[in-house]
Each structure stands twice: as structure tokens, then as C-alpha cells.
Amino acid sequence: MPSVLPDGEPVPEDGSLPASALDGAGDRPLAFYLHVPYCATRCGYCDFNTYTATELRGSGGVLASRDNYAETLADEIRLARKVLGDDPRPVRTVFVGGGTPTLLAAGDLVRMLDAVREEFGLADDAEITTEANPESVGPEYLAALRAGGFNRISFGMQSARQHVLKVLDRTHTPGRPEACVAEARAAGFEHVNLDLIYGTPGESDDDWRASLEAAVGVGPDHVSAYALIVEEGTQLARRIRRGEVPMTDDDVHADRYLIADEVLSGAGYEWYEVSNWATSEAGRCLHNELYWRGADWWGAGPGAHSHVGGVRWWNVKHPGAYAAALGQGRSPGAGREVLTPEDRRVERILLELRLRDGCPLDLLRPAGLAAGRRALADGLLDPGPYARGRAALTLRGRLLADAVVRDLVD
Ligand SMILES: C[S@@+](CC[C@H](N)C(=O)[O-])C[C@H]1O[C@@H](n2cnc3c(N)ncnc32)[C@H](O)[C@@H]1O
Ligand code: SF4
């Protein structure tokens, strides 16, 4: 089952925010994340807040059902409109993620997007993305999404090799994600991403290279490459503990990252965040950039997290509890915290250091600055940006990003 939520103070029943959260809101971009908490089967490595039909059976009944989900989620968007009040900001980005959004009918995803459009309005150049599992879409489905206003799509490819897909419990066949890219282009999607995972037990350097080459070979304008994280409580963690599959080590991850950067940059993709590459600035995921830069975003759906003006809150995790709260006219918020200036400083370093531009050195305290000078001497930070007052990672620094961040926040 998915991991647990943090503690926090209670969210008021009407979801209202402290007045401070809305101060100056008109000057900040607003983004929506819409979570779809359903999957056909659970991949052994995944601890996202998602539920298979079997996992839902006997818990939540009709309330948790996929059939009513789009309407329930639209209720939360209407609640957001009340909480944010007469907000003049048209929405810059909408990102539908999961779970498997494309387990719902295309019309349901469009219905959810329409709710945002009706309540808030969309910016003329709004980026509207959905995640999609390759086995769950086809040309008609993609055309319906495009006609409904989606202009970016992100497919979970993970690997081009059957034996790697098998360890990951993926149900699509090799080649299907690449075909999806062609279908998405034919349907008129301007922006297409492929997600890849490296470091799966049993994957070789050659397997990884083949996956990258298969991905870039079909010309998406964005590729995300994630090191496999073995999350506590997942089936994969249990299999590793029982010795059924080997654990991959950090050196393997580092080698695979170098291969990723070599193949992707050789094919015209430029990194703009440690795990993300795009062929141009227009190909970058604006939604994630807004998130990394601390904009206001409202996360709707079970377990979704939100952030508005320094207040962070999160929803109840179970789809049944989520629908029950909204059905009774209550906020589905389970807890919240008001970020202190120190929380915001640390968070900015955590998120911005992973970006190509890095983070301003004036966010660092004396101990962090001393660590910054050491990282510079060790070749982990780039001297050019450093001289201009920014801590920006070198390629070697990207391999050790988590450790560099830990030192800089001191
Ligand atoms: C939230 S998932 C949902 C997308 C979609 N359901 C899918 O799996 O294709 C988005 C991406 O997160 C990545 N991911 C999920 N769990 C991961 C893990 N434990 N380690 C590394 N990447 C992970 C996968 O690349 C996946 O495509
Ligand atoms: S399909 Fe995606 S969200 Fe669903 S279990 Fe697999 S990785 Fe997780």
C-alpha cells in the first residue's frame, strides 16, 4: 500500500487558508495537479497513492469507484474556487497524474480539465499535460484528449527491454511506448515525454543504452530518467530482502546516469533538472518548473499535496474517504503546515539546486557557504555561475546531487 502522510495541524472544514497565504497571490503563477488514484495492476516498485480494483474491494464501496471520480474531483475544484476567492489568475498549467489517468475515459479527463477552465479560466498558452500508460491508450483516445484541450502527454516507458519490464511488473510490450509517441504526434500533441527508469535489477549498461536510444529514436521533445528507488513496503523491497533479486548499487546508478547524459545530449536534449532533459525551452515541463520554483499549486485528488503562499496541505489518501468528505461539503484536507522562513529557505535550496541555473548563494548560511566552497574545489559546483553568485551543479555534482544539497542547507 502507499506510504503514510505526514502529521500536521488540522485543515478547517471549509478548507479556508490563513489570510497571509493569499497576500500577493495575484503576482504568483497558479498551477493545478489533478491526481487519478487508480491502476490496473500495481508495479512492484511503486508506492504512489494508487489503488487497483482488488485493493479497493471492500473498502470505500461505491464512493471509491472510478465511475464517479471525475465529478468528485470537480467538486474539489469548485471548493478551490471558494477558498481562493476572486482569484484573477488564469491557470498556467494543469498536470493530470497518477496512478494511471488513462484508466479513466478520455471524456472524464476532459471533464476534470473543464472544471478548472470553468472555475478559474486557463491562460492562453496554458500547458495541459496528462500522464498515460502505453497499454491504455490508442489513436482515438489520444485524439479525444487533444480535442479536449490537452497539449502535452507523458508516457511511462521505463525500459525498451522485456526482461527489465518484467522485473518492474510493467504490462506493456517493448515498442508500444515508441508507437504511442507517433500516435500522440498524429493526434496533434505538441509536447511528448517518455519516462525511463535506470538501475533495475538485472539491467545491464547495454540494456540502458538501448532504452535511451529507442526513446530518442522516436523524437519526443522531453525525456525523464529516474534512478530506481526501492521504496520501503513495496513488493520490490520484499523481493530484494528475500534475495530473489539483487539490489543495485550507487556506482551502477552513477554509471547509468553518465550514459543517460551522453546519449541524451548527443541526441540534442539538454538537461534542465537533474532527471529531466528537453530538446528546447518550449519542450520543458513548465508545470514541474513552477513547482520547483515554489509557485502556488493546488493538488486535487486523494493524497494530493498543495502549496499556496507558504501554506502546504495534503488530502486524505483513500479515494472513499476523499469522496465522502467532498460529498458532505467538507474539505478533503487531512493536515497542513504553515512554512517558516527557514522551511522555505531549505526547500528552495533542495529544489533549485537540482535545476540547471542552480540556487542563489545568498540562500546559504556560513556553514552552507563553506560547504559550497568545498564543493567548488571538488568539482561538484560550476565555477562560472559560482562567480556570479549561484550554486549550479557540474555533471559530477549531478551524480552526487543529494549529498551536495545536504551540505549546502547547513
Ligand atoms: C507517478 S508515475 C505514474 C505514471 C504512470 N502510471 C506510469 O507508471 O507510466 C510517474 C513516473 O514515476 C516513475 N517512478 C515511479 N516509481 C518510481 C520508483 N520507485 N523509482 C523510480 N522512478 C519511479 C516512473 O518512471 C513513472 O513513469
Ligand atoms: S502504473 Fe504507474 S502509478 Fe500505477 S503502479 Fe505502475 S508506476 Fe505506479
Side-chain angles (χ1 to χ4, degrees):
M1 289 303 258
S3 56
V4 290
L5 286 171
D7 294 329
E9 59 182 64
V11 173
E13 287 219 335
D14 62 0
S16 57
L17 290 166
S20 64
L22 299 175
D23 279 352
D27 300 330
R28 298 189 298 263
L30 177 62
F32 267 84
Y33 171 75
L34 312 180
H35 188 66
V36 177
Y38 305 107
C39 284
T41 54
R42 178 177 288 276
C43 308
Y45 58 89
C46 178
D47 84 336
F48 281 82
N49 191 42
T50 187
Y51 302 81
T52 62
T54 317
E55 286 170 347
L56 282 178
R57 204 162 292 142
S59 67
V62 73
L63 276 179
S65 143
R66 299 205 302 246
D67 301 341
N68 312 321
Y69 188 69
E71 240 349 277
T72 305
L73 191 117
D75 283 342
E76 188 180 351
I77 291 163
R78 288 186 276 272
L79 173 81
R81 179 72 172 83
K82 284 195 199 126
V83 170
L84 297 178
D86 281 329
D87 197 316
R89 297 175 283 179
V91 171
R92 283 294 286 114
T93 66
V94 179
F95 190 105
V96 184
T100 304
T102 44
L103 257 194
L104 300 185
D108 283 349
L109 301 191
V110 172
R111 172 78 205 93
M112 287 159 42
L113 173 60
D114 282 347
V116 178
R117 192 186 277 120
E118 283 154 21
E119 297 300 324
F120 290 88
L122 298 174
D124 290 343
D125 55 350
E127 177 192 273
I128 315 289
T129 307
T130 186
E131 289 181 338
N133 284 37
E135 70 283 3
S136 63
V137 295
E140 270 178 39
Y141 190 101
L142 295 168
L145 290 182
R146 185 68 195 96
F150 286 83
N151 52 28
R152 186 171 183 277
I153 190 155
S154 171
F155 295 107
M157 172 173 174
Q158 322 310 353
S159 173
R161 293 291 205 220
Q162 179 61 52
H163 73 99
V164 177
L165 291 172
K166 187 159 185 291
V167 174
L168 293 174
D169 299 320
R170 300 297 299 199
T171 54
H172 62 260
T173 45
R176 179 63 202 142
E178 296 92 305
C180 284
V181 174
E183 288 174 13
R185 294 289 192 206
F189 277 88
E190 288 117 275
H191 301 298
V192 183
N193 170 57
L194 290 174
D195 277 345
L196 294 172
I197 288 182
Y198 57 89
T200 300
E203 179 195 59
S204 67
D205 285 355
D206 284 349
D207 291 331
W208 176 230
R209 201 176 273 282
S211 296
L212 289 158
E213 281 165 359
V216 302
V218 287
D221 62 348
H222 191 288
V223 174
S224 301
Y226 301 112
L228 179 67
I229 301 171
V230 180
E231 305 278 4
E232 256 327 296
T234 57
Q235 183 65 16
L236 179 65
R238 286 189 287 279
R239 291 180 68 196
I240 289 174
R241 207 170 311 120
R242 290 197 297 261
E244 290 167 24
V245 285
M247 181 74 183
T248 48
D249 64 39
D250 289 349
D251 289 343
V252 169
H253 278 172
D255 290 346
R256 301 276 155 81
Y257 187 89
L258 292 174
I259 294 172
D261 199 63
E262 178 205 314
V263 174
L264 291 170
S265 53
Y269 296 76
E270 189 174 78
W271 80 282
Y272 69 102
E273 195 272 349
V274 171
S275 304
N276 290 280
W277 287 258
T279 50
S280 70
E281 226 171 291
R284 295 178 177 186
C285 177
L286 178 62
H287 182 84
N288 283 341
E289 289 196 297
L290 293 180
Y291 167 76
W292 293 321
R293 295 188 190 281
D296 286 351
W297 79 90
W298 188 294
H305 287 234
S306 301
H307 169 265
V308 172
V311 180
R312 186 156 56 196
W313 72 95
W314 46 91
N315 285 347
V316 290
K317 293 193 81 164
H318 197 280
Y322 172 76
L326 285 163
Q328 293 160 14
R330 287 185 289 113
S331 159
R336 78 177 185 193
E337 58 193 9
V338 179
L339 301 177
T340 63
E342 175 59 6
D343 291 336
R344 298 182 85 171
R345 183 188 78 88
V346 169
E347 190 154 296
R348 278 194 64 189
I349 300 171
L350 291 179
L351 295 172
E352 291 179 28
L353 187 70
R354 295 176 59 88
L355 300 174
R356 189 180 183 96
D357 297 345
C359 74
L361 289 174
D362 57 19
L363 282 178
L364 308 186
R365 296 233 202 81
L369 276 172
R373 283 191 293 276
R374 283 195 302 277
L376 184 67
D378 291 344
L380 304 175
L381 292 181
D382 193 337
Y386 199 88
R388 296 191 297 277
R390 299 192 74 86
L393 296 167
T394 58
L395 176 56
R396 219 168 86 73
R398 282 189 269 156
L399 298 176
L400 299 168
D402 292 344
V404 179
V405 165
R406 264 197 305 278
D407 291 344
L408 294 198
V409 296
D410 272 356

